[in-house]
Structures are given as structure tokens and as C-alpha cells.
């Protein structure tokens, strides 16, 4: 594996720092969303008619945007497959380098 030194090292560290900040932000947003959703659902549970209405609204939205939802899901699946293949190639490269060094 190649090691990074000097200016290149600083660039790599900033990329790691940026991605770490992005992941922290995603985690925080997910936590806030779950907390807010839990409060909303506990209030909605007291009124079954509102729960039924929310279900109808959610169903209509899913039906209306079903093609975009399916396209997004397929895109995510393809991205996942590509990621797995890239990791497999990286692992094969590491194994090959290790065999060469031995």
C-alpha cells in the first residue's frame, strides 16, 4: 500500500475530517427525527381517526410517487452491489500485495 506524506497527507486528513463531520450530522439528524416522530406518534395514538387519516395520506403519497420510490430503491441496490464489488477488488489487491511481499 502506498503511504501519503506531506501536502497529500493533509488533503487526506481533511477528507476524513469532512466525512466524519458529515456522518456526525447524519446521526444527529436521524436522532432528532426519531425523537420527534416518537412524540408525534404518541400524540396521534390518542386519536385513532388521526392515525387512520395519516395512513390514508401516507398511502396516497406512496402511490403517487411509487415510480420514483422504486427507481431510488433500485439505484440504492445497484450502488450497494458496486460497493461490494469494489471492496472485493480491494481485498483481492491487498491479498495479492501480501503474497508478493512474502
Amino acid at each position: 500500500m502506498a503511504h501519503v506524506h506531506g501536502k497529500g497527507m493533509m488533503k487526506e486528513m481533511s477528507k476524513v475530517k469532512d466525512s466524519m463531520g458529515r456522518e456526525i450530522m447524519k446521526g444527529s439528524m436521524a436522532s432528532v427525527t426519531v425523537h420527534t416522530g416518537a412524540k408525534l406518534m404518541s400524540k396521534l395514538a390518542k386519536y385513532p381517526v388521526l392515525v387512520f387519516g395519516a395512513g390514508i395520506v401516507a398511502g396516497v403519497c406512496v402511490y403517487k410517487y411509487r415510480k420514483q420510490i422504486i427507481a431510488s430503491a433500485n439505484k440504492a441496490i445497484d450502488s450497494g452491489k458496486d460497493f461490494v464489488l469494489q471492496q472485493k477488488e480491494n481485498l483481492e489487491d491487498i491479498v495479492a500485495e501480501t503474497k508478493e511481499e512474502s
Side-chain angles (χ1 to χ4, degrees), residues 22-56:
R22 219 175 283 132
E23 293 301 319
I24 290 172
M25 182 59 78
K26 285 181 185 177
S28 299
M29 293 301 292
S31 177
V32 168
T33 303
V34 168
H35 183 67
T36 304
K39 281 185 174 182
L40 180 65
M41 287 315 227
S42 67
K43 289 182 181 181
L44 278 178
K46 294 178 184 176
Y47 305 102
V49 175
L50 289 178
V51 175
F52 182 72
I56 289 175

Side-chain angles (χ1 to χ4, degrees), residues 3 7 31 34 41 71 83 93 102:
H3 295 290
K7 291 181 183 178
S31 177
V34 168
M41 287 315 227
F83 177 76
D93 291 343
S102 298

Side-chain angles (χ1 to χ4, degrees), residues 3-16:
H3 295 290
V4 181
H5 298 284
K7 291 181 183 178
M9 183 175 144
M10 296 305 286
K11 287 180 184 177
E12 290 296 320
M13 287 178 63
S14 69
K15 286 180 187 176
V16 170

